[in-house]
Amino acid sequence: MTDTTQKPILILGGTGKTGRRLAERLTAKGIPVRIGSRSGTPSFDWQDRESWDAALEGVGAVYISYYPDIAVPGAAETVEALARLAVKRGIRRLVLLSGRGETEAQRAEEMVKASGADWTILRCSWFSQNFSEGFLVENIIEGEVALPVGAVGEPFVDTDDIADVAEAVLTRPGHVGQLYELTGPRLLSFADAVAEIAKATGRDIRFRRISHAEFTSAVASHNLPPEFAWLLDELFTEVLDGRNETLTDGVQRALGRRPKDFSTYATETAATGIWSN
């Protein structure tokens, strides 16, 4: 056990897709965890810097998952402020959850690197779990996923793999100063991904490409917070332009094994009944 794991590890976004899984893994190993969220004890709120000190008190490392997303304007400066406060408080070990092909995310990475921390960056592709734990789950249940994206390939990554990598880099030596770009093992279009889910569920689930205007209108009808509406627009109009149509070996480098395939994710998730209507 390292010095880092003798003190609690603060997991910012500890109730989210990756943070929740990381917390489960660390707890199972007997490593103390502090959940950094507005419902945590003590409470942590990215928008309330007065809450940061109490959350950082006595921790040995921080897993940084920014809410609502590190692609949102202003995220980089906020992450930088948190990183510098942590280092000032003597917490040097920081692991940043980042995103591929996102300007703000890459700015945040540079700021964490410059903070004086012992950093590791997990730069991730689209989460497979966006289909089951994110905004697309209702569309899957209803039988149609309509998005403004064509045949561009995305190497969807499973959040279980991200959590496994995060656990490894936080509890084992040799990962300081490493940037792990995490993807799944193959490229799929969104139509391909929906077809895999349809096959796994045995249901008729269609993918339909829509215009940007139709998508904007659909997002507006859901009364989402402005930052979420902006984020969805950014992801589907900017990031999904082919810039991420490459596979990487980040999971293999960090864990010594291949990443989970999307079809495995679809089969395992279908078995939970989450997509049953």
Side-chain angles (χ1 to χ4, degrees), residues 64 69-71 96-109 121-127 154 179-182 235 239 243-244:
I64 304 172
D69 192 279
I70 201 166
L96 176 69
L97 179 70
S98 185
R100 295 181 91 204
E102 298 170 1
T103 303
E104 195 74 359
Q106 266 79 85
R107 287 182 62 232
E109 292 176 8
I121 291 165
L122 311 184
R123 184 190 290 168
C124 301
S125 57
W126 264 74
F127 298 172
E154 176 68 24
L179 188 157
Y180 294 112
E181 196 156 343
L182 307 179
L235 291 173
V239 178
R243 69 182 68 177
N244 293 331

Side-chain angles (χ1 to χ4, degrees), residues 41 67 76 107 122 132 145 166 173 187 253:
T41 307
Y67 180 87
R107 287 182 62 232
L122 311 184
S132 52
V145 176
L187 293 169
R253 280 174 51 220

Side-chain angles (χ1 to χ4, degrees), residues 125 128 154-158 161 182-188 246-249 251-252 257-265:
S125 57
S128 299
E154 176 68 24
F156 297 98
V157 66
D158 197 287
D161 282 344
L182 307 179
T183 71
R186 63 188 170 114
L187 293 169
L188 294 91
T246 52
L247 304 177
T248 63
D249 63 353
V251 173
Q252 183 76 41
R257 64 163 175 81
R258 281 174 58 81
K260 186 191 289 188
D261 189 79
F262 190 87
S263 62
T264 304
Y265 154 76

